[in-house]
Amino acid sequence: QVQLVESGGGLVQAGGSLRLSCAASGRFLSINVMGWYRQAPGKQRELVADITSGGRTNYANSVKGRFTISRDNAKNTVYLQMNNLKPEDTAVYYCNANIRTSFIGVGTYDYWGQGTQVTVSS
């Protein structure tokens, strides 16, 4: 009943910029932490950045100073502004959100977007 739909991936040259968007839709009560993960071929999925419902942010050291995560709670959307992209940023980027769907029991669950390819050429 909850979907995360991603957009904004593509091919850019090193030093360029992209902005990823991820919108949650469906039936839910609230969204807690939202974040972006990425997975390059042959590597483990890693956290890129996340943001709490109150706006507190966290970044991987490799992207600090280059990427900015933000969210629009009215639109149930999280963004990732990626500047000064490097070839090592090439990966499939996945949106993640911890969402409360019920007041009964634990009531929260992690949802994942479909993934969007980001390719940075040298």
Side-chain angles (χ1 to χ4, degrees), residues 11 55 82-83 85 89-90:
L11 173 65
M82 304 185 292
N83 297 326
L85 283 160
D89 295 318
T90 296

Side-chain angles (χ1 to χ4, degrees), residues 42-115:
K43 299 185 69 177
Q44 298 273 41
R45 186 173 299 186
E46 63 176 352
L47 175 69
V48 178
D50 60 24
I51 182 169
T52 69
S53 60
R56 181 173 294 180
T57 59
N58 177 56
Y59 296 93
N61 288 334
S62 60
V63 306
K64 283 183 177 178
R66 299 189 298 120
F67 291 10
T68 302
I69 189 169
S70 61
R71 63 192 286 172
D72 185 337
N73 291 332
K75 296 182 178 180
N76 298 317
T77 300
V78 63
Y79 306 94
L80 186 67
Q81 179 67 47
M82 304 185 292
N83 297 326
N84 192 24
L85 283 160
K86 302 176 180 180
E88 51 263 43
D89 295 318
T90 296
V92 177
Y93 284 69
Y94 296 92
C95 177
N96 171 265
N98 182 262
I99 298 177
R100 176 171 292 278
T101 59
S102 175
F103 289 121
I104 302 173
V106 175
T108 63
Y109 191 80
D110 276 358
Y111 293 87
W112 293 89
Q114 79 280 7

